[in-house]
Amino acid sequence: TVIKGEGAMVYDGANIIVHYHGVNWNTGEVFDSSWQRGEPASFPTSGVIPGFRDGLVGQSVGSRVFITIPPALGYGPSGGTGDGRIGAEDTIFFVVDILGLQ
């Protein structure tokens, strides 16, 4: 946790609103960023990779978190992403601002 928020706690299955920046640790490539798109993202914590979910559940709205995800909790070892930006053995990380719950 980089900044501890004072809002509601993110629970497993919650629909969250976040800004995030995702980077492939192995290549240094940004593979996804809501900040670069200029608008926050919303999704259920049950609809993301396990490491991302685990890094968000239990955090508070208003927090900024740094989440490091090893391959086993990300896209590997069974494949990676279809576009090849994340390989089966790649560690990825995210900086995430938790903006709210829906």
Side-chain angles (χ1 to χ4, degrees):
T1 304
V2 178
I3 298 170
K4 175 75 171 146
E6 296 183 8
M9 184 176 291
V10 176
Y11 57 91
D12 194 16
N15 287 312
I16 60 173
I17 304 166
V18 298
H19 255 310
Y20 65 89
H21 191 72
V23 178
N24 183 321
W25 189 279
N26 298 60
T27 66
E29 178 185 4
V30 174
F31 60 83
D32 196 7
S33 176
S34 66
W35 276 301
Q36 288 179 347
R37 288 192 302 276
E39 61 183 352
S42 64
F43 46 79
T45 57
S46 59
V48 296
I49 58 174
F52 197 67
R53 177 201 62 224
D54 294 349
L56 295 172
V57 170
Q59 297 289 343
S60 301
V61 171
S63 294
R64 173 173 284 175
V65 294
F66 183 90
I67 305 170
T68 303
I69 304 173
L73 295 175
Y75 295 96
S78 61
T81 58
D83 63 7
R85 295 174 86 183
I86 303 170
E89 298 303 317
D90 289 344
T91 296
I92 57 177
F93 68 91
F94 291 89
V95 176
V96 183
D97 282 356
I98 304 170
L99 304 176
L101 300 177
Q102 291 180 314

